[in-house]
């Protein structure tokens, strides 16, 4: 699965790619930095009725309506508390702009493909379809997330599936 | 060719589409009894542009049709023929064919239809309708390549970059491949004159020329040869003799696609009878007694240029004796001028000779190359001035002028600009808000800056919004044709009056307005306007009138369609409503009755005609208009006509809305759906089987929609008596929406939720409020549906 993934998105397999790491509770995650548009603080959101609870609502980002997803609620992690340190990572995923709420952004790291180890299978306990693998950096374990796959998945309900089929 | 032409196709498609539309509207404008030359020229130009573009991009089928079209138009504008209704019909048909061809090319297909040949043939027949006995002097120009044609090519080698003899020879040989070619000129002069005898059409010759120059820089003409072979050589010399004579110039300047006026001018002065070598040549002429007669004959039969209508022999004689007397009001000049319209004579005195068609200086002006090379003498300057003063009154001349200085921009870019400006306005509001606490005396400069910023950003917003605005004439202009065709097919007499075509509204709206308006106009002709005999019997003029009027009223655009027909029949409508089981009050007002026509499947047409009964009803019209946040109203007086009013917002990007509060959230209700708002009393709330809640308002039980319920606010619902009931109009009748509070009325900029998220039920979009927060715009139809499901 890992190999297949690399073929799909990593153009240069031997050279290092950069990842943005962020924390959710006790865990550290990494996402492809090319998908990140900007990082900003948490603002008041406008709630959207009848949406899953991890979708906090929408915000106005310079005239664009952007949905905000709380990753901690999605992954059932950490204490959901909004303060001045709460960070929103604005992602640009295949032309769609969306924001994810995380506890904090820690670093930008460069990793070569061979530094990422495949994640063990957890069976039905944990769906690892969106996890690219695990990387180790200075004793820290970083969970590499395929953010694009995650955000456009049906289960997130962020994107109209019909819409996606057209696009 | 190495350049990929397909990248320019889109431009051609757009331009050709515009030209076709212009041509059509001009044709409809043309008064057959008193044709306006300006209009004829404008039509010719439109056809010519299409032909040029089609030729360049290799759409030969379109070029063929336009070519035939042009031939007839050319004769009309030269006043060799008088326009007839039949011609106009043929032109319109040709326009339709071209439209279909254009569409086919746009879809990457070839258009195959017998109609093409039919229309071409019809046009050709019309073009030669004045020529009896099958003698068709200009027929060879029609590109019919079936018979051998003598083509004459005249050009100035230097001006097309073929200055050296070697280069000339190459071209000579290339053309020689088409048939027999002869050099008629002396080969040394600044002008070359070749004669090509070939079965090839004009297109083939132009194709070869296209390798070396603009086809327009070379005059291509046909030469009619008298049947007898011995006479041929004589004719050829005779032609050589007259090759550059004024008559030929006049003819070729029109016939050649883009005449090089410079070359023409040279030709005129050098080869004209007045110049030195000619008198000697002419002196020889009398030695051959048959020659002048022959010349005269040829000139007559070929009808070159001006002398077509003038007595041919006299003209020829005149030329012989005092050829250049033509320039200065000599008898020849008068004859020439007689061809042109009297009022243009003054303007174009002098070079009228070069341009038998009075409008052609204008077409020349369009051609940059050509106009650059024309020395602007006093008379031409005068004519320009004269034309300008006419242009002020003439519609035809005005339109091209306004389109000249425009650019095509993708809607996306404009939307982005609008977004950014909207953002700027909001940022200003936020700044002003935070500055409100400052002491205006201490922070005078900040305050002044802020007020400047406010003014500038407001102006900017207005300017940006106006980019999307287009005059409504874009949609109105199709109606003369619609009315003409519909009335003709129904055997009715209808005239159309357009008022306020300059009224501007959003481009997106204009496009969406076309279909509903089309339906309304056709309806008016079909159901509204009576047959001529009925009208006469009713004491009304035989010809009915439909008025399309557009105007700005407040923040909206009002489009009215009115006819002076029979009006709606109240009894019939009520009977129909009863038959269909549509509930009506006991004594319905006229307004209620007229609204019936918007019910689905409600048609009062007694029989299904071509026009009505096609499945597009007034209900669709209303839905389309309401989708644009607009409203439709009907007013009718029996025997006097029907008046339909469409009220639209200026733009789709902005909505008039009422902000309502529910808990801490703000929502926007579109103003167009709101009927009234009331403070409810306890006894107005009723339940049905303990569940379905209704509100009793004015003896009506309306379904009650609570925003708290629908949007699962999670908070306990506040006492409904503290809230406000907003009565809204939905697709399925009225409903009452319970909200906490009405806040304010705004103009809001509509943003899509779907761009980055997905469709949310009950919400049609989002907007950004003054404080920078997002508010959702409610979709009342969906709200009612949602509420029913939840309840």
């Amino acid at each position: 699965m890992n190999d297949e993934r690399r073929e799909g998105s990593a153009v240069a397999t031997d050279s290092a790619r950069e990842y943005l790491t962020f924390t959710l509770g006790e865990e550290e995650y990494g996402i492809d930095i090319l998908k990140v548009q900007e990082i900003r603080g948490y603002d008041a959101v406008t709630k959207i009725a009848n949406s899953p609870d991890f979708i906090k609502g929408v915000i106005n980002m310079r005239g664009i309506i952007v949905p905000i997803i709380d990753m901690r609620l999605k992954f059932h992690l950490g204490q959901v508390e909004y303060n001045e340190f709460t960070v929103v990572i604005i992602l640009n995923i295949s032309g769609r702009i969306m924001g994810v709420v995380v506890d904090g952004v820690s670093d930008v790291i460069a990793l070569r493909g061979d530094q990422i180890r495949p994640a063990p299978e957890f069976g039905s306990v944990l769906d690892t379809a969106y996890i690219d693998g695990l990387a180790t950096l200075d004793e820290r374990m970083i969970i590499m997330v395929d953010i694009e796959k995650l955000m456009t998945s049906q289960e997130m309900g962020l994107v109209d599936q019909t819409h996606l089929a057209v696009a | 060719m190495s350049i990929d032409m397909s990248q320019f196709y889109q431009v051609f498609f757009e331009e050709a589409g515009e030209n076709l539309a212009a041509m059509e509207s001009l044709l409809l404008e043309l008064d057959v009894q008193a044709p306006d030359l300006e209009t004829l020229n404008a039509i010719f130009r439109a056809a010519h542009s299409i032909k040029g573009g089609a030729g360049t991009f290799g759409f030969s089928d379109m070029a063929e049709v336009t070519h035939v079209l042009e031939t007839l138009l050319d004769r009309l504008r030269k006043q060799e023929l008088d326009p007839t209704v039949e011609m106009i019909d043929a032109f319109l048909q040709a326009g339709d064919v071209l439209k279909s061809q254009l569409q086919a090319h746009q879809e990457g297909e070839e258009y195959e239809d017998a109609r093409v040949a039919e229309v071409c043939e019809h046009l050709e027949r019309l073009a030669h309708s004045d020529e009896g006995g099958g003698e068709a002097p200009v027929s060879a120009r029609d590109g019919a390549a079936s018979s051998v044609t003598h083509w004459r090519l005249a050009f100035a080698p230097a001006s097309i970059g073929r200055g050296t003899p070697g280069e000339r020879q190459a071209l000579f040989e290339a053309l020689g491949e088409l048939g027999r070619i002869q050099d008629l000129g002396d080969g040394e002069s600044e002008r070359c004159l070749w004669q090509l005898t070939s079965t090839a059409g004009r297109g083939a010759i132009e194709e070869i020329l296209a390798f070396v120059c603009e086809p327009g820089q070379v005059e291509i003409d046909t030469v009619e040869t008298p049947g007898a072979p011995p006479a041929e050589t004589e004719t050829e010399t005779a032609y050589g003799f007259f090759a550059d004579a004024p008559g030929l110039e006049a003819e070729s300047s029109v016939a050649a696609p883009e005449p090089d006026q410079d070359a023409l001018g040279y030709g005129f002065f050098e080869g004209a009878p007045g110049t030195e070598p000619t008198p000697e040549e002419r002196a020889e002429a009398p030695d051959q007694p048959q020659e002048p007669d022959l010349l005269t004959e040829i000139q007559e039969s070929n009808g070159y240029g001006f002398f077509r209508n003038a007595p041919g022999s006299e003209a020829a004689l005149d030329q012989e004796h005092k050829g250049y007397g033509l320039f200065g009001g000599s008898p020849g000049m008068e004859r020439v001028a007689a061809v042109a319209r009297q009022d243009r004579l003054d303007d174009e005195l002098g070079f009228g000779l070069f341009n038998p068609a009075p409008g052609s200086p204008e077409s020349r002006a369009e051609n940059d190359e050509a106009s650059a090379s024309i020395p602007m003498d006093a008379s031409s300057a005068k004519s320009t001035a004269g034309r300008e003063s006419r242009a002020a009154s003439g519609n035809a001349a005005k339109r091209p002028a306004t389109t000249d200085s425009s650019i095509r921009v993708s809607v996306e870019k404009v939307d982005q600009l609008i977004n950014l400006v909207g953002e700027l306005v909001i940022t200003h509001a936020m700044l002003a808000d935070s500055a409100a606490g400052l002491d205006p005396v201490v922070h005078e400069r900040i305050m002044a800056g802020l007020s400047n910023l406010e003014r500038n950003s407001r102006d900017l917003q207005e300017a940006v919004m106006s980019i999307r605005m287009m005059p409504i004439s874009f949609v109105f202009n199709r109606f003369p044709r619609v009315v003409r065709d519909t009335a003709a097919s129904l055997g009715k007499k209808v005239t159309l009056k357009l008022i306020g075509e300059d009224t501007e509204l959003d481009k997106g709206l204009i496009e969406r307005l076309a279909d509903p308006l089309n339906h309304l106009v056709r309806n008016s002709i079909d159901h509204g306007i009576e047959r001529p005999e009925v009208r006469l019997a009713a004491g009304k003029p035989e010809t009915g009138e439909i008025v399309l009027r557009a105007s700005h009223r407040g923040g909206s655009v009002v489009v009215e369609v009115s006819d002076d027909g029979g009006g709606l029949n109240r009894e019939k409508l009520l009977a129909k409503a009863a038959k269909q089981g549509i509930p009506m009050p006991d004594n319905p007002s006229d307004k209620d009755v007229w609204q019936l026509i918007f019910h689905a499947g409600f048609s009062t047409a007694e029989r299904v005609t071509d026009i009505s009964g096609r499945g597009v009803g007034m209900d669709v019209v209303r839905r389309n208009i309401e989708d644009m946040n607009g409203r439709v109203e009907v007013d009718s007086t029996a025997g006097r006509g029907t008046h339909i009013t469409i009220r639209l917002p200026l733009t789709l990007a902005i909505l008039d809305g009422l902000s309502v509060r529910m808990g801490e959230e703000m929502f926007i209700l579109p103003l167009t759906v709101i009927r009234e708002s009331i403070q409810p009393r306890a006894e107005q709330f009723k339940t049905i089987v303990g569940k379905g809640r209704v509100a009793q308002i004015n003896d009506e039980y309306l379904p009650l929609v609570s925003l708290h319920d629908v949007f699962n606010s999670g908070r306990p619902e506040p006492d409904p008596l503290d809230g406000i009931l907003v009565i809204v109009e939905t697709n399925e009748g009225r409903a009452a929406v319970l909200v906490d509070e009405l806040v304010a009325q705004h103009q809001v900029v509509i943003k899509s939720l779907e761009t980055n998220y997905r469709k949310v039920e009950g919400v049609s979009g989002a907007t950004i409020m003054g404080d920078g927060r997002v508010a959702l715009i409610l979709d009342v139809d969906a709200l009612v549906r949602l509420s029913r499901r939840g309840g």
Side-chain angles (χ1 to χ4, degrees):
Chain A
M1 181 210 292
N2 203 15
D3 292 339
E4 177 193 319
R5 173 65 204 146
R6 250 186 268 145
E7 252 176 41
S9 92
V11 184
T13 36
D14 33 7
S15 66
R17 288 161 59 90
E18 287 192 308
Y19 295 88
L20 178 76
T21 63
F22 56 85
T23 53
L24 289 177
E26 300 292 302
E27 297 169 1
E28 198 165 3
Y29 288 82
I31 52 172
D32 185 352
I33 200 157
L34 296 177
K35 303 268 191 284
V36 176
Q37 185 172 320
E38 64 182 88
I39 296 167
R40 53 192 280 151
Y42 184 81
D43 246 338
V45 296
T46 298
K47 289 190 184 64
I48 292 181
N50 306 320
S51 57
D53 64 345
F54 59 83
I55 293 175
K56 298 303 297 176
V58 289
I59 60 159
N60 157 36
M61 199 188 79
R62 294 190 295 281
I64 309 168
I65 310 287
V66 177
I68 299 294
I69 300 113
D70 194 316
M71 294 289 274
R72 298 167 297 183
L73 289 174
K74 171 69 184 128
F75 289 158
H76 310 287
L77 292 169
Q79 201 62 32
V80 180
E81 194 181 288
Y82 294 92
N83 54 33
E84 63 264 43
F85 305 112
T86 308
V87 167
V88 178
I89 303 174
I90 305 292
L91 301 166
N92 189 333
I93 289 166
S94 46
R96 279 168 180 264
I97 316 285
M98 44 190 74
V100 291
V101 183
V102 297
D103 285 343
V105 173
S106 31
D107 222 342
V108 175
I109 54 166
L111 288 177
R112 286 189 315 276
D114 56 7
Q115 283 178 285
I116 302 173
R117 308 250 165 271
E121 292 290 335
F122 289 95
S124 60
V125 184
L126 183 62
D127 184 4
T128 53
Y130 316 120
I131 297 177
D132 260 356
L134 305 172
T136 316
L137 194 81
D138 309 334
E139 316 280 291
R140 283 146 51 202
M141 182 189 79
I142 299 167
I143 306 160
M144 312 306 293
V145 183
D146 183 346
I147 195 76
E148 182 153 356
K149 220 173 191 176
L150 175 65
M151 287 301 165
T152 54
S153 69
Q154 199 152 6
E155 127 195 44
M156 289 293 275
L158 268 174
V159 174
D160 270 339
Q161 291 305 312
T162 49
H163 217 275
L164 199 68
V166 175
Chain B
M1 243 181 242
S2 58
I3 305 167
D4 180 18
M5 292 301 254
S6 58
Q7 58 181 312
F8 305 114
Y9 280 1
Q10 196 50 42
V11 178
F12 167 69
F13 293 146
E14 283 173 22
E15 278 181 4
E18 275 173 18
N19 276 320
L20 278 172
M23 194 169 87
E24 188 176 295
S25 68
L26 288 166
L27 279 169
L28 292 164
E29 221 171 73
L30 191 71
D31 183 354
V32 178
Q33 265 76 46
D36 179 20
L37 270 182
E38 207 67 66
T39 314
L40 281 174
N41 279 314
I43 297 170
F44 181 83
R45 278 198 300 275
H48 189 78
S49 310
I50 299 170
K51 177 176 144 183
T56 311
F57 290 101
F59 301 128
S60 53
D61 52 345
M62 288 183 72
E64 266 165 44
V65 178
T66 32
H67 182 75
V68 185
L69 190 67
E70 224 182 59
T71 310
L72 179 52
L73 276 170
D74 191 31
R75 299 205 65 194
L76 286 181
R77 69 171 191 164
K78 283 196 284 179
Q79 303 204 323
E80 294 167 3
L81 287 175
D82 287 327
T84 61
V85 177
E86 194 192 358
M87 285 182 196
I88 305 288
D89 283 332
F91 285 145
L92 289 173
Q93 274 168 16
D96 289 345
V97 166
L98 284 169
K99 250 181 242 170
S100 324
Q101 287 177 331
L102 186 66
Q103 201 185 344
H105 286 307
Q106 221 160 348
E107 287 158 8
E109 296 160 12
E110 282 292 318
Y111 178 75
E112 294 290 343
D113 196 330
R115 261 199 326 152
V116 181
E118 212 173 280
V119 166
C120 289
E121 202 251 333
H122 190 198
L123 283 171
E124 268 180 57
R125 210 172 50 239
L126 287 169
H128 309 306
S129 52
D130 63 331
E131 295 145 7
E135 205 190 331
V138 268
S139 69
R141 281 207 281 121
D142 294 348
S146 52
S147 62
V148 174
T149 311
H150 298 273
W151 296 95
R152 192 211 315 284
L153 300 129
F155 60 94
S159 76
I160 62 168
R162 301 281 110 177
T164 70
E167 282 170 328
R168 255 198 320 269
Q169 189 59 31
L171 182 59
F172 192 80
E173 277 162 14
L175 285 167
E177 284 168 20
L178 290 175
R180 194 160 55 85
I181 188 157
Q182 284 174 281
D183 192 343
L184 302 180
D186 52 11
E188 296 304 317
S189 74
E190 286 174 57
R191 254 177 97 70
C192 275
L193 188 70
W194 295 346
Q195 176 165 311
L196 176 68
T197 310
S198 165
T199 53
R202 173 185 295 273
I205 298 172
E206 280 176 0
E207 215 168 282
I208 287 181
L209 291 174
F211 284 106
V212 296
C213 63
E214 293 285 315
Q217 290 175 325
V218 178
E219 298 154 31
I220 305 172
D221 256 300
T222 60
V223 180
E224 280 299 304
T225 47
E232 202 179 351
T233 44
E234 271 182 346
T235 316
E236 275 166 12
T237 35
Y239 272 116
F241 187 70
F242 270 99
D244 298 321
L248 171 62
E249 297 299 347
E251 173 73 4
S252 56
S253 76
V254 181
E258 266 157 26
D260 184 337
Q261 299 290 343
D262 194 16
L264 277 181
Y266 275 123
F268 191 88
F269 289 106
E270 274 177 37
T275 50
E276 280 167 56
T278 351
E280 281 134 40
E281 278 178 47
R282 278 172 197 278
E284 283 165 31
D287 297 343
Q288 300 165 315
Q290 81 277 28
E291 179 108 340
D293 287 341
L294 183 62
L295 283 176
T296 308
E297 228 176 76
I298 292 156
Q299 278 218 326
E300 256 180 338
S301 68
N302 286 335
Y304 278 129
F306 277 111
F307 300 101
R308 177 177 299 285
N309 296 336
S313 53
E314 267 180 60
L317 278 172
D318 194 49
Q319 265 191 333
E320 272 191 61
H321 298 311
K322 38 192 294 188
Y324 48 107
L326 281 169
F327 289 101
S330 73
M333 181 63 204
E334 264 156 47
R335 266 193 296 280
V336 167
V339 183
R341 253 170 67 167
Q342 201 57 40
D343 61 346
R344 289 169 206 285
L345 185 109
D346 299 340
D347 291 345
E348 294 176 6
L349 192 89
F351 70 79
L353 273 174
F354 294 96
N355 298 287
S360 59
E362 224 173 55
S363 66
R364 184 173 58 176
E366 279 176 1
N367 183 345
D368 282 353
E369 254 176 84
S371 66
S373 63
I374 306 164
M376 275 296 270
D377 58 29
S379 61
S380 74
K382 193 174 144 204
S383 95
T384 313
R387 202 164 27 252
E388 265 161 17
S389 66
R390 271 200 307 279
S393 58
N395 244 353
K398 193 174 75 190
R399 264 182 221 133
T402 49
T403 51
D404 272 349
S405 54
S406 67
I407 52 167
R408 287 180 205 280
V409 184
S410 82
V411 175
E412 219 171 278
K413 284 185 182 170
V414 176
D415 281 349
Q416 197 184 355
L417 201 56
I418 289 176
N419 251 346
L420 287 172
V421 172
E423 198 56 26
L424 180 69
V425 171
I426 290 165
T427 313
H428 166 261
M430 283 156 77
L431 275 178
D433 194 47
S434 35
L438 299 177
D439 183 345
V441 180
V442 182
H443 302 278
E444 194 194 334
R445 291 188 54 177
I446 291 182
M447 293 301 175
L450 272 174
S451 75
N452 261 342
L453 179 64
E454 181 181 7
R455 197 168 49 239
N456 289 344
S457 50
R458 190 167 300 160
D459 288 351
L460 187 61
Q461 190 178 24
E462 259 171 43
V464 167
M465 281 303 193
S466 75
I467 294 179
R468 285 182 65 114
M469 298 294 179
M470 282 171 91
I472 201 164
S473 55
F474 276 85
V475 52
F476 273 16
N477 278 350
R478 72 176 63 185
F479 286 108
R481 180 76 193 273
V482 171
V483 168
R484 189 179 192 272
D485 290 356
T486 314
S489 74
L490 291 168
K492 294 181 179 179
K493 290 189 174 174
V494 184
T495 58
L496 176 73
K497 203 162 149 193
L498 300 176
I499 302 171
E501 295 154 274
D502 295 334
T503 308
E504 289 195 325
L505 75 161
D506 194 281
K507 184 170 188 285
L509 285 173
I510 286 190
E511 278 158 10
R512 291 169 66 176
L513 189 61
D515 276 346
L517 267 188
N518 202 3
H519 189 81
L520 291 177
V521 168
R522 290 164 78 110
N523 250 359
S524 284
I525 301 170
D526 195 13
H527 306 313
I529 306 277
E530 313 93 325
R531 315 196 133 269
E533 59 272 17
V534 180
R535 289 184 64 90
L536 285 174
K540 290 198 273 193
E542 194 183 17
T543 307
E545 188 180 58
I546 290 183
V547 181
L548 271 178
R549 182 200 308 264
S551 54
H552 282 291
R553 237 171 264 173
S556 49
V557 173
V558 177
V559 182
E560 291 154 283
V561 182
S562 34
D563 63 63
D564 63 349
L568 294 172
N569 189 323
R570 187 182 155 101
E571 270 61 53
K572 223 191 221 167
L573 284 171
L574 282 173
K576 183 104 181 186
K579 212 161 102 193
Q580 294 203 345
I582 299 166
M584 288 298 285
D586 281 346
N587 201 1
S589 68
D590 274 356
K591 221 177 176 104
D592 290 336
V593 177
W594 307 148
Q595 284 294 322
L596 279 172
I597 63 171
F598 293 116
H599 270 274
F602 204 96
S603 172
T604 48
E606 278 140 37
R607 64 207 158 80
V608 171
T609 64
D610 208 20
I611 285 124
S612 59
R614 277 204 196 152
V616 198
M618 289 293 274
D619 55 323
V620 180
V621 171
R622 180 160 78 166
R623 202 181 321 131
N624 286 345
I625 302 283
E626 280 174 356
D627 281 349
M628 296 186 259
N629 295 312
R631 267 179 299 172
V632 200
E633 277 161 27
V634 189
D635 198 12
S636 184
T637 318
R640 298 271 295 280
T642 309
H643 187 98
I644 294 166
T645 311
I646 301 171
R647 206 173 289 268
L648 289 171
L650 271 179
T651 163
L652 262 193
I654 291 182
L655 172 112
D656 266 316
L658 185 73
S659 54
V660 298
R661 186 176 62 81
M662 179 202 80
E664 283 166 10
E665 298 286 334
M666 289 286 214
F667 291 94
I668 306 287
L669 269 171
L671 264 195
T672 48
V673 304
I674 299 177
R675 268 308 182 83
E676 57 182 325
S677 305
I678 56 165
Q679 231 165 354
R681 300 183 307 275
E683 65 270 24
Q684 282 181 302
F685 294 105
K686 318 255 179 195
T687 57
I688 298 171
V689 257
K691 267 183 172 178
R693 294 202 296 172
V694 292
Q696 185 188 9
I697 287 142
N698 307 335
D699 301 330
E700 256 189 289
Y701 293 98
L702 304 181
L704 183 70
V705 180
S706 162
L707 283 189
H708 280 275
D709 271 1
V710 174
F711 287 136
N712 289 327
S713 66
R715 279 181 291 274
E717 190 178 306
D719 187 350
L721 292 183
D722 291 340
I724 301 274
L725 277 181
V726 182
I727 315 300
V728 295
E729 200 81 53
T730 73
N731 275 346
E732 299 151 54
R734 290 181 199 178
V737 179
L738 182 64
V739 302
D740 288 357
E741 190 191 353
L742 302 182
V743 183
Q745 193 179 322
H746 309 268
Q747 276 211 326
V748 298
V749 180
I750 302 173
K751 308 259 173 183
S752 163
L753 262 183
E754 282 157 85
T755 320
N756 295 316
Y757 188 45
R758 60 194 172 112
K759 187 140 185 56
V760 177
E761 251 188 311
V763 170
S764 61
T767 187
I768 297 163
M769 305 294 283
D771 61 0
R773 291 198 51 180
V774 179
L776 300 178
I777 300 167
L778 298 174
D779 174 354
V780 287
D781 293 330
L783 272 187
V784 174
R785 274 200 306 274
L786 268 177
S787 147
R788 205 165 26 209
R789 210 184 307 152

